[in-house]
Amino acid sequence: MNYRHAYHAGNFADVVKHIILTRVLMYFKRKDAPFFVMDTHAGVGRYDLKGVEAQKTREAETGIARLIKALPNAPKEVRELCEPFTTLLNDMNEDKLQHYPGSPMVAQSLIRRTDRLSLVELHPEDFDELTINFNWAKNTKTHHLDAWQAMKAQLPPNEKRGLILVDPPFEDRDEFNAILRALYDAQKRFSKGTYMLWYPIKDLQMIASFSRVLSGMDLGRTLDVRVMIDRPGSQAKFIGTGMVIVNPPYVLEKELKVLLPWLVKLFEVVPGSGSHSIYELVGEQK
């Protein structure tokens, strides 16, 4: 209940996560049939990078600010893949970068009138602000609920297609286990859904255990995508961002092979200290 994402908005992990989110949503839009999107840890939806919280950490300076500065000189294919995200940024900002979209705003910018967005937030103050930010959107509903209770209540959706973004604050050491329990339960009710499970790369042993359990679960095709901005050291520190994607779009891996090398060079702490990987935890189910 103490975590506030406003302190970390626009950092390198946000940027990587949101670009991947746009690529998945762009794939969903290829078909006319409506789809459902659920954000289990929505936050407030948009952030002021000039606000008190963001200015205390200034994490956006080594995140989204770097992207905006470097993108004009990026390879054409990288610019095209980032376009849905940068278009939203341009719409939110005039001359200078001040506002940053959370995942709710990213999703809302790309869904259609026939699609549906469910935003779940437990923090009371953040929920109130989230509701104010999205009360204009008829296809978007906010829910003051625990994330895991919301997944049980809202899955499966009436739509045949759906994307569930699980993005906890990871203040609790049991967060990895909570994700596994929630995914196991959700898969029994909505096995064809696409799940995006974000995690910070700090404790490599805990992440290895998390990956082993996922590999043994009865899932559809599952990718584990990682962007490291520094080499592992003796102390546990935030050196990378990870995303497990269950039932990913078939084009996503090809797109990530273009995006990730460029993003690593952009965000790495010193030249050569970063790396990226795409692991297939689970193959196609027959």
Side-chain angles (χ1 to χ4, degrees):
M1 296 294 290
N2 295 322
Y3 178 85
R4 307 299 293 276
H5 190 68
Y7 289 96
H8 312 288
N11 67 10
F12 80 94
D14 256 4
V15 174
V16 174
K17 173 178 60 183
H18 292 147
I19 290 175
I20 295 175
L21 177 59
T22 64
R23 298 319 310 165
V24 174
L25 288 169
M26 291 299 290
Y27 176 79
F28 268 76
K29 291 174 65 175
R30 291 186 179 189
K31 295 182 180 180
D32 293 335
F35 60 88
F36 172 73
V37 180
M38 182 182 192
D39 189 337
T40 64
H41 298 77
V44 302
R46 60 178 291 159
Y47 300 92
D48 182 0
L49 299 181
K50 302 299 182 183
V52 174
E53 297 89 348
Q55 286 296 302
K56 281 187 176 181
T57 62
R58 307 182 78 90
E59 290 183 16
E61 293 180 4
T62 53
I64 186 58
R66 280 191 187 178
L67 181 92
I68 294 300
K69 183 178 180 180
L71 204 56
N73 297 317
K76 179 181 178 182
E77 195 172 3
V78 170
R79 296 198 308 271
E80 290 175 346
L81 291 172
C82 290
E83 187 175 3
F85 180 58
T86 53
T87 296
L88 173 60
L89 284 171
N90 291 335
D91 289 343
M92 295 179 66
N93 297 280
E94 295 181 359
D95 298 329
K96 295 183 179 180
L97 177 66
Q98 177 171 351
H99 300 288
Y100 185 82
S103 48
M105 190 68 71
V106 173
Q108 172 54 233
S109 74
L110 292 177
I111 64 171
R112 304 158 302 189
R113 292 183 179 180
T114 54
D115 304 322
R116 190 163 58 97
L117 176 60
S118 173
L119 304 177
V120 179
E121 178 53 49
L122 184 60
H123 193 292
E125 294 178 16
D126 283 0
F127 171 75
D128 290 343
E129 188 172 347
L130 177 73
T131 301
I132 292 171
N133 284 337
F134 291 90
N135 61 9
W136 57 271
K138 293 183 179 179
N139 60 352
T140 300
K141 300 294 183 185
T142 59
H143 304 274
H144 188 207
L145 289 172
D146 170 79
W148 318 127
Q149 293 175 347
M151 288 178 71
K152 290 181 179 179
Q154 298 183 27
L155 299 179
N158 293 330
E159 298 85 351
K160 301 297 183 182
R161 302 189 299 147
L163 168 64
I164 297 85
L165 174 64
V166 181
D167 180 17
F170 282 90
E171 286 190 312
D172 190 335
R173 285 185 63 84
D174 192 50
E175 209 82 78
F176 280 107
N177 289 329
I179 291 175
L180 291 169
R181 291 192 294 266
L183 178 61
Y184 176 80
D185 183 67
Q187 274 274 302
K188 291 190 293 185
R189 287 175 288 113
F190 189 41
S191 62
K192 299 300 183 183
T194 295
Y195 296 84
M196 296 179 61
L197 317 172
W198 179 83
Y199 63 90
I201 299 177
K202 291 183 179 180
D203 188 329
L204 296 182
Q205 288 185 337
M206 188 173 292
I207 293 171
S209 176
F210 177 62
S211 297
R212 283 195 299 270
V213 175
L214 282 168
S215 298
M217 293 175 67
D218 185 19
L219 304 172
R221 183 168 184 253
T222 302
L223 299 178
D224 186 356
V225 179
R226 302 181 186 182
V227 169
M228 306 281 285
I229 63 169
D230 203 358
R231 299 183 182 92
S234 58
Q235 295 182 338
K237 61 179 182 178
F238 189 21
I239 58 171
T241 179
M243 179 76 76
V244 170
I245 308 167
V246 181
N247 296 323
Y250 76 95
V251 298
L252 183 63
E253 186 171 359
K254 180 180 178 181
E255 293 179 346
L256 292 178
K257 287 179 178 179
V258 173
L259 284 166
L260 296 191
W262 187 82
L263 290 170
V264 166
K265 289 184 178 180
L266 180 67
F267 295 133
E268 60 188 357
V269 175
V270 296
S273 66
S275 62
H276 74 278
S277 60
I278 305 173
Y279 299 105
E280 186 170 294
L281 295 178
V282 182
E284 297 287 354
Q285 300 292 305
K286 296 182 179 180

